Amino acid sequence: MKKGSKRPSLRQLWQDTDLDLSRIRPADPGDDDQVRWEQAHARRLDAAELRLFRRAYPVLCVILCLILSTALVLTVAYMPAFGREDSPTNNEVAARYIEGATAEAGAVNAVAGMIIYFRGFDTLGEAHVLFSSVCAVMILLEVEPDRRRLRRERAEDRLYDLTRDSVLKEVTRVLEPLIFLFGLYVIFNGHLSSGGGFSGGTVIGAGLILHAVAFGFTDTERFFNRKVFDVIRVAALLFYSAVMLYFFYTGANDLDAWIPRGTPGSIFSAGFILPVNLAVGLEVACTMYAMFSLFRRGRV
Amino acid sequence: MNLLTVLGRILDNYEECAAMVLFAIGFFMLILHRNLIKKIIGMNIMDTAMYLFLASIGYIEGRAAPVLEDGAADPALYINPIPTGLVLTGIVVSVSFTAIMLALSVRLYRRYRTLNLDDIYTIIREERK
Amino acid sequence: MTELEIFRLILLTFLVVCAAASAVSRSMLVTVIIFMTYGLVMSILWVVLRAPDLAVTEAAVGVCITSSLFFVTLRRLNLIRKRGEEDADSEEGK
Amino acid sequence: MSFVLNFPAVSIVLSLAASVASVAARRWAKQISCLVVVLGMAMSAAVLAYTASAGAAFTYVMGQAPAPWGNELRIGILEPLFALLFGLVLLLCILSGETTLSEKADPKKRYLFFVLCDLIQASLFALCYTNDLFTSYVFIEICTIASSGILMIRDNGPTATAATRYMIFSLVGSSLFLLGVIMLYGVTGHLLMEPLRKAVASVWAAGTYRLPLRVIIVLLVVGLGIKSGLFPFHFWMADTYGTSLPGAAGILSGIVSKGYIFLLLKLVHRVIGPDVFYASGAQNVLFLFGVLGMIVGSISAIHTSDVRHMIAYSSAAQIGYIYMGVGISPALGTVAALFHVLTHALTKPALFLSASRLADVSGGSNDFHALQGSAHRNRVAGIVFSVGSMSMVGIPAFMGFISKIQFALAGAQAGAKMLPTFIALAVSTVLNVLYFMRTVIRIYTPAPEQGEHVVRARQQLVFDGTALCFIGLNVAIGLFSQPVIELLGRGLALLG
């Protein structure tokens, strides 16, 4: 089923060659599955109804998308102009987020003040989006490691360790502390300068991934395994929920909330923004690394 | 609708319009491509286009990022912080979706040895018979 | 038109070109690499749009994490192979 | 402020925390889920009692900053009522779907099902109560991820394919929704619903951004319509509901799609405003697609020979009813639509669950012919299936009948839409009778060779209990519908 023999050119353009069926190796030879698969493959080529559908489908899609993009560009053209001071979004809401950033939230970074102090419920949901997605990825990819698989993984790891690029290792050795330091800086300075839990957490997660790539999972498991992952994310999210519940309860009932605001600009200030940033950062870092690990070897 | 005024408006809003073109490209990829990986990339492009759109709504020419230096909390100095916060949420959401879709494509490939959705539907239909 | 605006226009053009290129490119690996570039340009654009928070996040998420997830997936689907490794890794797809 | 009003926020955060805690206490995940759902239901019931007796709606500030700045919940009558409904159906689906879960899912991953159920509960409650557009987007995403997760927990090829399709449709839907939210923010500068409504009304009256506003309405409606399975976008439903575990199918069709519909109603009444919405012409499109969905869904249901696909297509038809009601009129039609949401949420999960029981005693096949005589092999499932079918068809004494009466009453006062409504109701009822009664007759026709397939399903007792709940509620609300309709009407008046 090589491309380019008889199909319309439009379709050629929008189909990839990489995943062409002819390139796919069948599973184990002699397998029942394979026979069935090959039969299906043969029949698939002359499913007439589907051929018609496939030919009509791109045309329909192009038309639909052209309509959509024209409509959207036209709509946007009639929206408030770009970069002006008199745009409707520049209203009292935005003004208070900036004015209240230091006065109410105690944060110098108005974005951190807004997402954690003013709109804390959204951000609580956001942290749980990551949690739910790692649950879904676990459902799809997690495999229980039996002894054989573990042994094979170890052996592979050792083999990779010998053959792995020494340039990568040396560069990682130099870069890694810097990456982690930068990540921690971004988390701890989330209320003072741009950044925060999500940004810093992803940086740290990227650092963990780099470590795993350069030194192997066996090495990473010395300080990060399933248990650590579970403890960190459960503790971080529960802490976050508890803090937010306290905020919601005191805020809605007009009670005086105990918020240690400190002096804006110093590191221990801005109430709960720093601990919340820390919790979120840890959770994000763990989750990012866990996703990579799940994809790579089917477990955290 | 005068064509010239519309063009002028489009030029006025070039940033948002570019975001909408990107959105259309992403949408195009998401629904037209039969390959899952391409669909996922299309989804990502679509999402980032929306974030670009959101950020350009809040942008005000000549103002600084909303980090209040020296405690000067004058709203006339800084851009709107809301879009930044919302985009931050959105980026996290789209990376979650990407991870799930990629995991799904790994699983589908294990089972059907192809990532072309049409082929997968055909195989399923064949197997059902 | 200020310099900043011209710079922004260049970045926007680059973004659109990247997106279109990743839509029509035929190799998966190239597509993902183009997408990485797209993320990088996007993170520069965030700086220009006065959103440094987003620049850091986009650089870490779009360029590092999403792309590494894509690469791992492609590796598991046998679309990237090491040199000399023809048919190893066959149990990976099982 | 009364202490009761803290309950919505507490129940949302509690179920989020429960989902996280279930990861640490895997063995107790199911118990935690049930406990949290029961607690959530109790809290919603208390809130409902409070607001219904007060006859007013309250806002609850989520955090330290008031309305246009901080997040907010809004607690009227409909919000706790629907939270109660979602909690109830979720509980029944968890209890009754557990058997198939333990048979068909990896035992090591079973706890994740309950974790995701908690997340679904949290997000649905948040969708019910929230007064903020962006919060609703975030929780829509949690809901989408969690519901695709409970789909994927059944580890086979067709389910993974169906989950992929579901994810793609959901993604398109939520992207369009988010685009609508962003545009609305760009035009008005607000994200909370009350300031938004004022801003939308003034923008509409000033006529400055009419075109963007129309596009925004279209984007929001289409986005949520795709996610809830409105007619031209219902293609994902058959595979999704047909291949997943019956508990998951019940949750998805019964409550997740209803959560999106409820959000859409909130948008219409609280953000866009019924006057603007019903002046923009969008309601006619909804009406048209609703009617088409009723007919097309039923015809597809007649064509298929797989009983679960049939129920799934019937879902598409029922969603069509709901949108038709929204399209008829903002008052009577919407009350009918709300009542039909109740009907469908209480009936469809029962149908899915009982159909899977019937399939279990028929050699595991969902095929129409294999089901012959299955009602004799599992009597309770047969009764539940028949009751559900009769309710969907609209036989008096069941809820479906009341919804159809309500639709007809609303249609009778709708002027030009009267005739199409009546014709659509009549045609759709005939089609419903065709496919549902055909199935009921089939499952009660004795099979020629009996005895071979008779397998006593495990945990029949739990299923019997939940079945009794579903049937009991259906008949009870069907017989004493007037207070419920009154409550819905009062709630709708408070929604705006």
Side-chain angles (χ1 to χ4, degrees):
Chain A
M1 199 166 126
K2 269 285 171 220
K3 308 276 152 171
S5 47
K6 55 182 178 181
R7 282 185 211 159
S9 59
L10 183 70
R11 218 195 134 205
Q12 258 175 33
L13 191 66
W14 291 94
Q15 294 274 325
D16 49 278
T17 47
D18 263 11
L19 289 174
D20 199 340
L21 284 167
S22 58
R23 275 204 46 188
I24 294 167
R25 285 167 300 125
D28 293 325
D31 197 351
D32 241 14
D33 263 358
Q34 189 212 336
V35 176
R36 230 176 336 127
W37 184 85
E38 275 175 356
Q39 284 168 352
H41 181 185
R43 262 172 297 176
R44 175 163 58 234
L45 297 182
D46 42 55
E49 35 161 349
L50 218 75
R51 209 183 302 143
L52 184 70
F53 174 72
R54 282 186 188 187
R55 214 164 274 171
Y57 189 74
V59 179
L60 269 178
C61 281
V62 171
I63 294 171
L64 201 124
C65 288
L66 281 182
I67 293 173
L68 179 84
S69 57
T70 320
L72 286 179
V73 168
L74 268 182
T75 317
V76 164
Y78 277 86
M79 280 184 60
F82 169 70
R84 301 276 174 77
E85 281 190 15
D86 56 352
S87 77
T89 52
N90 188 21
N91 57 1
E92 75 276 6
V93 183
R96 172 147 174 204
Y97 285 151
I98 288 173
E99 282 167 353
T102 45
E104 294 174 58
V108 175
N109 180 6
V111 176
M114 182 211 132
I115 62 173
I116 292 172
Y117 183 85
F118 288 106
R119 301 180 62 87
F121 191 36
D122 286 358
T123 317
L124 183 68
E126 181 191 358
H128 285 84
V129 170
L130 264 184
F131 172 76
S132 53
S133 80
V134 89
C135 285
V137 173
M138 272 182 182
I139 286 179
L140 284 169
L141 293 184
E142 203 176 23
V143 281
E144 201 58 29
D146 52 359
R147 200 170 292 155
R148 219 183 92 234
R149 196 185 166 96
L150 277 178
R151 209 184 305 135
R152 208 190 65 214
E153 257 178 26
R154 290 248 167 74
E156 264 176 15
D157 235 31
R158 227 171 293 131
L159 190 72
Y160 273 165
D161 210 35
L162 292 176
T163 58
R164 195 170 291 132
D165 212 343
S166 60
V167 177
L168 176 66
K169 274 195 203 169
E170 291 308 317
V171 170
T172 308
R173 230 168 245 142
V174 177
L175 272 185
E176 208 177 17
L178 294 178
I179 293 176
F180 284 133
L181 201 65
F182 179 64
L184 285 176
Y185 166 79
V186 170
I187 292 179
F188 277 98
N189 264 319
H191 52 300
L192 301 179
S193 63
S194 16
F198 288 101
S199 329
T202 44
V203 172
I204 293 182
L208 282 172
I209 292 175
L210 180 65
H211 186 93
V213 170
F215 301 112
F217 282 104
T218 326
D219 192 63
T220 320
E221 264 184 6
R222 282 185 302 136
F223 57 90
F224 193 93
N225 53 23
R226 180 61 191 264
K227 202 168 261 174
V228 177
F229 171 60
D230 276 347
V231 167
I232 289 183
R233 64 176 176 155
V234 169
L237 283 176
L238 285 182
F239 170 74
Y240 190 12
S241 294
V243 168
M244 285 333 277
L245 194 58
Y246 173 72
F247 264 167
F248 299 155
Y249 182 74
T250 52
N253 293 295
D254 286 327
L255 302 174
D256 275 335
W258 177 75
I259 303 170
R261 287 201 177 81
T263 6
S266 71
I267 179 106
F268 292 112
S269 65
F272 287 111
I273 293 182
L274 177 62
V276 162
N277 262 337
L278 191 61
V280 170
L282 285 174
E283 196 247 341
V284 172
C286 289
T287 308
M288 295 297 172
Y289 172 74
M291 293 223 192
F292 179 78
S293 180
L294 279 169
F295 271 88
R296 193 71 190 86
R297 54 177 190 159
R299 67 200 161 86
V300 179
Chain B
M1 228 191 287
N2 191 344
L3 198 67
L4 272 179
T5 52
V6 173
L7 266 178
R9 276 167 176 279
I10 289 177
L11 282 180
D12 250 10
N13 273 356
Y14 64 95
E15 184 106 13
E16 279 106 323
C17 290
M20 284 301 110
V21 172
L22 283 177
F23 182 87
I25 293 176
F27 197 80
F28 202 8
M29 281 177 81
L30 179 62
I31 62 172
L32 174 57
H33 258 293
R34 304 316 292 155
N35 180 294
L36 260 175
I37 302 276
K38 286 259 183 167
K39 269 185 195 290
I40 300 169
I41 287 184
M43 170 204 108
N44 266 301
I45 289 176
M46 191 166 86
D47 281 354
T48 37
M50 274 192 297
Y51 307 146
L52 181 63
F53 179 49
L54 181 52
S56 43
I57 280 178
Y59 181 76
I60 298 169
E61 196 74 56
R63 293 196 182 180
V67 178
L68 320 178
E69 278 151 26
D70 314 323
D74 183 8
L77 293 178
Y78 306 103
I79 65 157
N80 187 347
I82 301 174
T84 312
L86 303 190
V87 173
L88 213 53
T89 310
I91 287 179
V92 172
V93 170
S94 60
V95 74
S96 312
F97 268 106
T98 310
I100 296 176
M101 289 294 288
L102 284 174
L104 262 174
S105 46
V106 169
R107 200 189 232 191
L108 282 179
Y109 186 81
R110 266 193 224 162
R111 174 74 176 71
Y112 294 112
R113 307 242 128 216
T114 169
L115 282 180
N116 188 321
L117 275 182
D118 285 342
D119 289 346
I120 293 175
Y121 291 139
T122 324
I123 296 175
I124 289 179
R125 202 173 302 167
E126 292 295 327
E127 281 176 355
R128 216 174 258 160
K129 273 174 196 167
Chain C
M1 248 195 186
T2 60
E3 292 94 338
L4 198 64
E5 264 183 49
I6 294 169
F7 186 47
R8 216 161 43 210
L9 269 180
I10 293 172
L11 286 179
L12 283 175
T13 325
F14 205 90
L15 275 183
V16 175
V17 170
C18 272
S22 70
V24 295
S25 90
R26 305 183 108 193
S27 148
M28 283 295 112
L29 188 61
V30 172
T31 311
V32 174
I33 291 173
I34 292 174
F35 179 66
M36 259 175 100
T37 325
Y38 175 89
L40 209 59
V41 176
M42 191 58 115
S43 78
I44 300 172
L45 192 60
W46 291 131
V47 178
V48 178
L49 283 175
R50 306 265 182 274
D53 306 54
L54 295 181
V56 177
T57 318
E58 178 77 35
V61 168
V63 184
C64 287
I65 298 196
T66 313
S67 334
S68 63
L69 289 185
F70 270 113
F71 285 133
V72 176
T73 312
L74 293 189
R75 181 88 179 80
R76 281 188 85 154
L77 307 186
N78 294 327
L79 292 177
I80 312 175
R81 287 181 206 192
K82 279 193 170 177
R83 253 167 294 150
E85 181 193 34
E86 256 316 307
D87 257 298
D89 218 32
S90 59
E91 64 273 87
E92 193 67 62
K94 234 194 145 179
Chain D
M1 195 176 72
S2 165
F3 185 71
V4 176
L5 292 179
N6 287 310
F7 283 171
V10 172
S11 60
I12 294 168
V13 178
L14 193 68
S15 39
L16 284 180
S19 72
V20 177
S22 302
V23 171
R26 275 164 217 204
R27 208 171 303 156
W28 302 99
K30 187 192 168 193
Q31 282 80 352
I32 293 178
S33 274
C34 293
L35 180 71
V36 165
V37 179
V38 169
L39 277 178
M41 279 167 60
M43 291 187 193
S44 308
V47 175
L48 178 61
Y50 180 78
T51 49
S53 65
F58 302 90
T59 50
Y60 183 87
V61 182
M62 295 289 267
Q64 315 287 325
W69 297 282
N71 288 129
E72 233 181 35
L73 300 183
R74 190 171 181 284
I75 305 152
I77 290 177
L78 285 184
E79 290 92 342
L81 180 67
F82 276 82
L84 184 63
L85 173 78
F86 294 157
L88 179 71
V89 177
L90 186 63
L91 181 69
L92 293 179
C93 286
I94 288 177
L95 286 177
S96 161
E98 213 240 340
T99 328
T100 37
L101 178 71
S102 50
E103 278 163 11
K104 293 194 174 139
D106 185 351
K108 295 275 181 194
K109 294 178 185 169
R110 213 174 295 151
Y111 77 99
L112 286 169
F113 179 82
F114 301 110
V115 169
L116 293 173
C117 282
D118 291 342
L119 284 168
I120 286 183
Q121 191 208 347
S123 53
L124 285 175
F125 275 36
L127 287 185
C128 281
Y129 286 117
T130 184
N131 203 16
D132 186 304
L133 265 189
F134 198 74
T135 311
S136 48
Y137 167 71
V138 172
F139 281 94
I140 283 178
E141 298 297 35
I142 295 184
C143 199
T144 309
I145 291 176
S147 37
S148 65
I150 62 171
L151 270 180
M152 297 178 299
I153 204 151
R154 182 172 185 186
D155 187 5
N156 67 8
T159 315
T161 318
T164 312
R165 194 180 253 206
Y166 178 71
M167 282 293 276
I168 291 171
F169 270 90
S170 299
L171 269 168
V172 172
S174 45
S175 298
L176 293 181
F177 178 77
L178 180 61
L179 194 62
V181 171
I182 294 173
M183 282 187 176
L184 198 55
Y185 176 69
V187 171
T188 60
H190 285 285
L191 284 169
L192 268 101
M193 292 187 180
E194 253 113 57
L196 262 176
R197 179 164 181 192
K198 281 184 204 128
V200 167
S202 68
V203 166
W204 183 263
T208 34
Y209 302 121
R210 280 249 169 132
L211 175 72
L213 215 52
R214 275 179 207 274
V215 175
I216 286 163
I217 293 175
V218 170
L219 284 174
L220 293 176
V221 169
V222 170
L224 289 173
I226 291 176
K227 291 180 87 86
S228 56
L230 179 58
F231 154 64
F233 316 111
H234 68 283
F235 302 108
W236 55 267
M237 285 175 115
D239 282 348
T240 307
Y241 298 161
T243 58
S244 56
L245 292 177
I251 291 173
L252 287 182
S253 71
I255 54 179
V256 171
S257 58
K258 304 302 176 301
Y260 302 137
I261 291 175
F262 186 64
L263 182 66
L264 182 67
L265 282 176
K266 254 164 76 163
L267 292 183
V268 169
H269 284 263
R270 206 183 290 161
V271 176
I272 302 163
D275 34 352
V276 175
F277 184 81
Y278 286 87
S280 67
Q283 85 280 17
N284 296 327
V285 183
L286 273 189
F287 180 78
L288 181 69
F289 282 154
V291 168
L292 286 177
M294 284 158 68
I295 311 281
V296 174
S298 300
I299 291 176
S300 312
I302 290 175
H303 270 291
T304 181
S305 67
D306 181 317
V307 72
R308 292 202 34 205
H309 278 83
M310 182 197 89
I311 305 174
Y313 279 123
S314 137
S315 264
Q318 307 301 328
I319 300 282
Y321 274 94
I322 295 169
Y323 279 107
M324 179 188 82
V326 177
I328 290 175
S329 66
L332 270 182
T334 310
V335 169
L338 284 170
F339 192 85
H340 200 68
V341 169
L342 288 183
T343 310
H344 191 236
L346 286 175
T347 314
K348 202 46 46 101
L351 279 174
F352 274 118
L353 291 164
S354 58
S356 97
R357 288 290 162 146
L358 292 178
D360 277 348
V361 292
S362 313
S365 163
N366 282 328
D367 191 68
F368 203 66
H369 302 285
L371 287 180
Q372 188 162 354
S374 53
H376 297 293
R377 283 166 278 178
N378 190 337
R379 281 178 206 286
V380 178
I383 293 170
V384 175
F385 191 88
S386 321
V387 169
S389 303
M390 288 193 275
S391 173
M392 286 284 97
V393 168
I395 294 197
F398 297 111
M399 282 177 87
F401 175 68
I402 309 290
S403 347
K404 286 194 177 163
I405 293 277
Q406 292 295 316
F407 281 120
L409 281 177
Q413 299 186 6
K417 281 181 195 141
M418 182 173 84
L419 201 60
T421 311
F422 285 166
I423 294 175
L425 277 175
V427 172
S428 155
T429 307
V430 170
L431 294 174
N432 278 347
V433 170
L434 270 180
Y435 62 82
F436 270 125
M437 287 308 131
R438 186 180 64 160
T439 321
V440 170
I441 291 169
R442 171 74 69 173
I443 62 173
Y444 276 105
T445 313
E449 83 299 358
Q450 200 141 22
E452 184 182 16
H453 288 312
V454 179
V455 189
R456 190 79 185 144
R458 287 196 296 126
Q459 285 206 335
Q460 186 66 30
L461 206 63
V462 177
F463 175 75
D464 291 353
T466 53
L468 201 68
C469 279
F470 274 125
I471 297 180
L473 276 169
N474 206 325
V475 175
I477 301 182
L479 289 178
F480 306 102
S481 58
Q482 210 47 46
V484 179
I485 291 169
E486 221 167 78
L487 196 66
L488 288 175
R490 279 172 63 203
L492 189 66
L494 283 182
L495 193 66

